[in-house]
Structure formats: structure tokens, C-alpha cells
Amino acid sequence: MSTVLITGGTGALGTRIVDRLRRDGHQLRVLSRRAGAGTHLGDLNTGAGVAEAAAGADLIVHAATDSRRLRCPDPVQTEHLLRAVGDARHLLYISIVGIDQIPFRYYRGKLACERLIADSGVPYTILRATQFHELLAAAIGAAARLPLAPLPLDFRFQPVATADVATRIAELLDGEPVGTAADFGGPEVLTLGQLVEIWRAAHGGPRRTVRIPLPGRIAGGFRRGVNTCPEHRDGTETFAQFVAENETNPYAR
Ligand SMILES: NC(=O)c1ccc[n+]([C@@H]2O[C@H](COP(=O)([O-])OP(=O)(O)OC[C@H]3O[C@@H](n4cnc5c(N)ncnc54)[C@H](OP(=O)(O)O)[C@@H]3O)[C@@H](O)[C@H]2O)c1
């Protein structure tokens, strides 16, 4: 049994990681900005409370992110965490497949976090995963409320279940730090158009869609599917199974 600090342990993926590691019998610390939401109150943007949460933790899962802010603060958050980790024997960072090939601002921030961790001297594993089912479901669900949904229907995705990613994280955490782990993807690579059809079959909408031909390198990357890893169809739950089984979505708050 180890003491594990989980940043982002109240998020979409983090709650799955917490469930999984608790079942495995670890002692858990969950950092949150919201009193009572985790076990430790703290803020990675300022560093407040982070050292207290990290003190004595041998393992760290860094799954916190602030993707909603235009100027992504994730590198600052990662710096504050790295200053607090002490002599942890393994830090696992969850990242995203293809971030080095898509010049999206949030992805640049994730790449900077990867580099900070790799250069920190802390023994680490970086696991890049594909987009979560919840993220794509929230995006399609929001578009479905429009009378006509304009969508980049030719973008490609390989949606993965957060529970499957959490299982992989638990396995990696059990072993020695590996540096960069193999990418982790869902069982199917599908276009957004195909994902919309799956959503429509379950929810009856969007009633009408129109393909928007987005220009630029970001759109080109998603169109080519550089955010997918077809050689790693590791997750087990398909998007159709997720849609059939989940009525609520943590991103649709
Ligand atoms: N979404 C995807 O499709 C996808 C795919 C691959 C990888 N990832 C990566 O997976 C990780 C988890 O993503 P997610 O979508 O599960 O996250 P999420 O649901 O948006 O949750 C964000 C988490 O970060 C915490 N957090 C944010 N700012 C914080 C701060 N200043 N101090 C302390 N905690 C802070 C939040 O905690 P409180 O609100 O409780 O403070 C929350 O637990 C991220 O690194 C993301 O890049 C995501």
C-alpha cells in the first residue's frame, strides 16, 4: 500500500482514478480548490496547500488541468507541484495523444508540462491518452440543441473511457517509472460524423448537421487524425456503449 497524491482527483478522469486506486487499497490524498471536495484544500495556480498535500506521498498522479481559461495555467500548476513533490518515487502525468503535432494553445501548455516533468529529476511516467467519451458526448450534446448543428464532421477521434484510462494509470503506477509510456486509445477510430450518428441513434438529435470545412493546421491535424493512435486500441468501452449507459456528463455542468 502506498500513499498517493492525486491532483485533479475531483475531475472527470480523476474521480475514476480515485475509485480505482481506492479499490487497490492505496491511501489517497485528493487535492482540490473546493473545501470538502477532496481530502486536501489547495490551489496549484498559487501553490497554496500543495506542499502539505504532497508531504510524505510516495506516488503522485497529476491529473489537474484548467482547460477553460484562455491562457492555459497548466505549466504554472505543474511547476508548483514539482516544487512540492519532495522525494516521491513516481510521478505520473496524464497527457494527450498528438499534442506535439497540433498547434492548439491548450496543447502547447500540455507539452510544456511534459517538458517540465521530464527535466525535473523526479522519476516520471507520461501517459498520453486520446479524447474521453465524456468530452465528445458533451460537444455533440451541446450541438444537438441547435436547430442546425455546424460541425467539423470529418475530424477523427478515438474516444476512450475514463475508467479504462484509470485502469492503465493504476497499472503504470504499480510499476517502475518508464518516462514516456505507449499512447493509450479507445477501441475505435471514428469520424465526428460517425460519432454524431451514434449520438443521434440514442438521443434523436442533432436533427440536422452541416459540415464546416475549418481551415488551418489545428483543423488539419484533427482531420488527419494525428490525435489518434490506431495501433493502440487499448480501451474496451465503445462510444456507443458509453452513450447508452451514461445520462449525466461531468463536462456538461
Ligand atoms: N478531456 C479529454 O478528452 C482528455 C483526453 C486526454 C487527456 N486529458 C487530460 O486528462 C487530465 C484530466 O482531465 P479532465 O478532463 O478529467 O479534467 P476536469 O474534469 O476538467 O477536472 C479538472 C481538475 O483539475 C483540478 N484543478 C483545476 N485547477 C486547479 C487548481 N488551480 N488547483 C488545484 N486543482 C485544480 C480540478 O479540481 P477542483 O475543481 O476540485 O479544484 C479538477 O479536479 C488533464 O490533464 C487533461 O489534459 C483529457
Side-chain angles (χ1 to χ4, degrees), residues 7-14 31-34 37 42-46 62-69 74 77 93-97 106 110 128-133 135 162 250-251 253:
T7 75
T10 59
L13 173 63
L31 183 76
S32 173
R33 291 162 298 182
R34 296 169 289 130
D43 188 337
L44 284 163
N45 284 340
T46 62
H62 183 24
T65 188
D66 201 346
S67 55
R68 290 173 198 215
R69 290 202 207 192
D74 288 22
Q77 296 194 358
Y93 179 58
I94 177 76
S95 190
I96 306 176
V97 171
Y106 176 64
K110 299 279 306 177
R128 288 183 173 181
T130 53
Q131 279 69 44
F132 302 157
H133 290 322
L135 183 71
T162 42
Y251 297 124
R253 272 182 246 155

Side-chain angles (χ1 to χ4, degrees), residues 18 42 53 58 70 72 85 116 120 139 141 157 173 188 205 208 217 238:
V18 167
D58 6 87
L70 194 58
C72 173
V85 294
L116 285 166
S120 69
F157 294 99
L173 213 56
E188 303 169 308
R208 292 173 62 215
R217 287 199 295 147
T238 65

Side-chain angles (χ1 to χ4, degrees), residues 197-222:
E197 285 311 319
I198 291 168
W199 182 270
R200 185 182 279 137
H203 296 282
R207 284 182 23 231
R208 292 173 62 215
T209 56
V210 58
R211 185 179 76 81
I212 41 167
L214 290 175
R217 287 199 295 147
I218 296 177
F222 283 107

